[in-house]
């Protein structure tokens, strides 16, 4: 009888964990990327998935519009740990990896990058939120360090 009771308790606990995790969201954002000498505007999209309470994974991509024959892009996999401040406001650190690339005329190159920064989101409704992030990307290839700061503002829909 104790085994049956223990199995029932574990099943009920797993239902509770399942109900809390698994939230997904899709977002679009406007971006401003800059380094010491150059800056560009861009657009991006992201897909978010909350694995467990307060821990979320994110896949994102950004494209920066061509300026002076140069265009930048990146693709990222990040982790966020969510700190809920009240019912509508959340802040989180961003950490992850990505690929940072550029194209100048007919030449293009890319490098592995590491992502660090803060983010915040504000719920307008139960499913719709505004989001702002500031991410520092750094990578090194062939002895050259690539540093890039990206400031983003966008909207995310949870489903």
């Amino acid at each position: 009888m104790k085994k049956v009771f223990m199995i029932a308790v574990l099943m009920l606990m797993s239902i509770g964990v399942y109900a809390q995790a698994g939230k997904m969201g899709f977002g679009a954002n406007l971006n401003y990327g800059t380094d010491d000498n150059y800056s560009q505007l861009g657009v991006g999209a992201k897909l978010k998935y909350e694995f467990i309470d307060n821990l979320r994974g994110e896949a994102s991509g950004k494209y920066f519009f061509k300026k002076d024959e140069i265009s930048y892009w990146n693709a990222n996999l990040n982790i966020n740990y969510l700190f809920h401040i009240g019912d509508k406001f959340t802040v989180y650190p961003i950490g992850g990896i990505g690929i940072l690339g550029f194209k100048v005329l007919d030449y293009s190159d890319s490098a592995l990058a590491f992502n660090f920064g803060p983010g915040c989101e504000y719920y307008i409704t139960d499913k719709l939120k505004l989001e702002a992030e500031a991410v520092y990307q750094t990578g090194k290839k062939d002895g050259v360090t690539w540093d890039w700061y990206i400031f983003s503002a966008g909207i995310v829909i949870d489903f």
Side-chain angles (χ1 to χ4, degrees), residues 105-119:
L105 300 173
D106 291 333
Y107 176 76
S108 62
D109 202 356
S110 61
L112 180 65
F114 296 95
N115 308 325
F116 308 97

Side-chain angles (χ1 to χ4, degrees), residues 38-40 63-73 101-109:
Y38 198 74
S39 61
Q40 282 179 275
Y63 174 79
F64 295 88
F65 301 114
K66 188 183 287 188
K67 177 181 169 187
D68 301 329
E69 300 300 321
I70 302 171
S71 62
Y72 285 93
W73 59 270
F102 73 93
K103 182 175 182 181
V104 180
L105 300 173
D106 291 333
Y107 176 76
S108 62
D109 202 356

Side-chain angles (χ1 to χ4, degrees), residues 69-90:
E69 300 300 321
I70 302 171
S71 62
Y72 285 93
W73 59 270
N74 67 35
N76 306 290
L77 294 174
N78 293 320
I79 296 287
N80 310 142
Y81 188 83
L82 309 175
F83 295 94
H84 301 285
I85 301 172
D87 292 338
K88 295 186 175 218
F89 190 68
T90 303

